[in-house]
Amino acid sequence: MTPPASAWPFVARPGLAVIAAVPLAAMHFGGALKSAPVVSAVPFDITILAGAVAIPALALLASGRRWHVSRAVALPIGAAAGLWLWFTIAGLWSGSGAVLSAKLREMVLLGPAMLLAGVVVAGDPRALAAFSRATLAIGVLVGAAVAWGLLVGGVVLGGALDVRPDAVRVQYQITGLAIASAAALAALAAARRAGGPRMLWLGLTACLAAAALLPGGRAGLLGLALAVTLAPAVLFWAQARPRAALGWVALALVGGGAGLAILFLDPERAAGFRTLERFTQGGLDASARPWLWAAALRWAGETLPFGLGTAGFPIAAGFGEWRGRYPHNHVLEAFAEGGLPGLFLWLGCFGGAVVGAVARLPRVTPQRAAMVVALTVPVAVSVLVSTDLGNRMAWLAVGLLIGLGVESTPQQAGPVDV
């Protein structure tokens, strides 16, 4: 039986949503925050501290709300549970040891916690707003820190030589994702305003877009372009303003194209933008991704129906126990290492979350839908071209999408029609 509202004097307070959501955003973008001098000087891991605050606070927040769940969430949540179970079983025939252990810890232990955290945040309006504001602040901080650090030579990003090249690579990728989400949220703020305030928010969006050109993360720049285009368009479309939605898409395409044209027309002006250099200096031809994708497909076919086993791809591809040589595409990774069950469960989880979120758009507030788009589109791009199944950012993004099928009200409130 649910306790009465009076039994929950602390968890019913609105401030708890902020206490839960802000540390969760810091945990989500912990790798990006570590590129900021103020944070990098902290003598402990900010990700662990943020998680230690966020997870209990989210549990308290969830316990003080009445939750109403749409049937649309059944498929992605069920498929996620099946995916975690199957990849645990698939570890039995994997040739990996150390990488298998690390990947399963992140995927099977941290993954469910992050997914549920995303559901709670997306299902609580105050928590989602606080998470979005914190993400915007983190993106601005990180963008400014990267720009200043590259100017004075105080930060190592963009693939520069380092004793831990994989760590550097992950750092600039997460940095790009933080900037991309912040830019999308700034664009969303611009779309909600008029006159001078709109111009200020558009200016911030442009500055964040310029910052995304610095660290070298191509996935982050692609995610920024898509999120800045889609988030305000979803807002307008949900408000029954299709002309405004199409106008925003046209504005984003023309504005982004004009900005890139200005840079490309003057090589000296484009110098120093590491992300642009990684696009122009070889592009996909200079990337290992096409080879990794082809190898993942080949091994998936050769090991049907059950795959190589969890974390088995790097060894089969000849890299040994090297975590950084995963297929760089979730679909191919699930297929190569988990076989047909892994592929279908991944499609049910990630694909089902996207389809369910799209189906729920007419039933949720336009602002809520647009914020979730801004927060998840950059991660979705990363899922398709970069990160692996152990990445906590991917699981939190899935939770945010699933959370559009969840509504919450205070304990004393009546039911919500979903």
Side-chain angles (χ1 to χ4, degrees):
M1 181 177 178
T2 302
S6 59
W8 305 90
F10 175 68
V11 300
R13 294 177 182 173
L16 184 59
V18 177
I19 297 173
V22 172
L24 182 64
M27 182 183 180
H28 189 50
F29 295 110
L33 281 170
K34 292 171 186 176
S35 65
V38 175
V39 179
S40 62
V42 174
F44 50 83
D45 192 336
I46 188 175
T47 305
I48 296 176
L49 176 63
V53 175
I55 299 302
L58 284 166
L60 285 173
L61 178 66
S63 68
R65 308 283 289 180
R66 187 188 302 273
W67 296 91
H68 309 272
V69 182
S70 166
R71 289 188 293 269
V73 311
L75 173 62
I77 289 182
L83 192 65
W84 296 321
L85 176 61
W86 176 249
F87 268 79
T88 302
I89 296 172
L92 295 174
W93 58 86
S94 170
S96 176
V99 174
L100 170 64
S101 177
K103 187 172 181 177
L104 279 182
R105 283 198 305 269
E106 295 171 5
M107 181 179 177
V108 178
L109 297 180
L110 188 56
M114 297 305 292
L115 185 146
L116 290 175
V119 171
V120 172
V121 167
D124 186 284
R126 290 192 182 95
L128 182 58
F131 187 89
S132 298
R133 287 193 293 268
T135 298
L136 179 60
I138 290 170
V140 172
L141 171 64
V142 168
V146 169
W148 176 255
L150 290 175
L151 179 65
V152 301
V155 65
V156 180
L157 287 174
L161 292 177
D162 189 77
V163 293
R164 298 179 63 199
D166 282 348
V168 172
R169 188 177 300 110
V170 170
Q171 185 187 25
Y172 75 64
Q173 288 172 350
I174 299 176
T175 296
L177 292 179
I179 295 172
S181 292
L185 290 167
L188 189 57
R192 295 173 55 225
R193 289 165 174 82
R198 170 173 288 186
M199 298 308 298
L200 290 175
W201 282 108
L202 286 176
L204 178 59
T205 304
C207 290
L208 288 166
L213 299 174
L214 297 172
R218 290 174 292 188
L221 183 60
L222 290 173
L224 183 148
L226 285 174
V228 166
T229 302
L230 292 177
V234 167
L235 175 71
F236 289 134
W237 193 272
Q239 292 174 337
R241 300 167 62 190
R243 291 185 179 179
L246 294 175
W248 180 270
V249 171
L251 175 65
L253 293 176
V254 172
L260 291 176
I262 291 172
L263 290 176
F264 282 125
L265 288 175
D266 187 347
E268 292 185 1
R269 188 183 292 122
F273 289 102
R274 177 61 175 152
T275 310
L276 287 183
E277 292 173 359
R278 297 191 74 220
F279 271 110
T280 57
Q281 295 176 1
L284 274 180
D285 295 334
S287 172
R289 284 178 177 81
W291 187 92
L292 291 170
W293 295 339
L297 277 174
R298 183 176 70 253
W299 280 108
E302 292 181 8
T303 57
L304 285 175
F306 299 130
L308 290 161
T310 307
F313 175 77
I315 295 175
F319 298 109
E321 292 273 30
W322 187 357
R323 177 72 182 272
R325 283 298 178 259
Y326 46 84
H328 284 69
N329 179 288
H330 269 210
V331 184
L332 296 177
E333 181 184 359
F335 192 19
E337 296 185 354
L340 290 174
L343 174 63
F344 291 138
L345 287 169
W346 187 92
L347 291 173
C349 174
F350 286 79
V354 172
V355 172
V358 172
R360 290 285 300 171
L361 287 180
R363 301 187 181 186
V364 300
T365 62
Q367 176 70 3
R368 180 182 170 198
M371 283 193 291
V372 169
V373 170
L375 294 167
T376 56
V377 166
V379 180
V381 173
S382 181
V383 160
L384 295 178
V385 301
S386 184
T387 185
D388 72 354
L389 284 166
N391 188 290
R392 66 175 182 267
M393 300 182 76
W395 291 110
L396 190 137
V398 169
L400 290 172
L401 290 170
I402 294 174
L404 288 180
V406 174
E407 302 284 348
S408 71
T409 56
Q411 287 283 4
Q412 66 271 21
V416 175
D417 183 16
V418 295

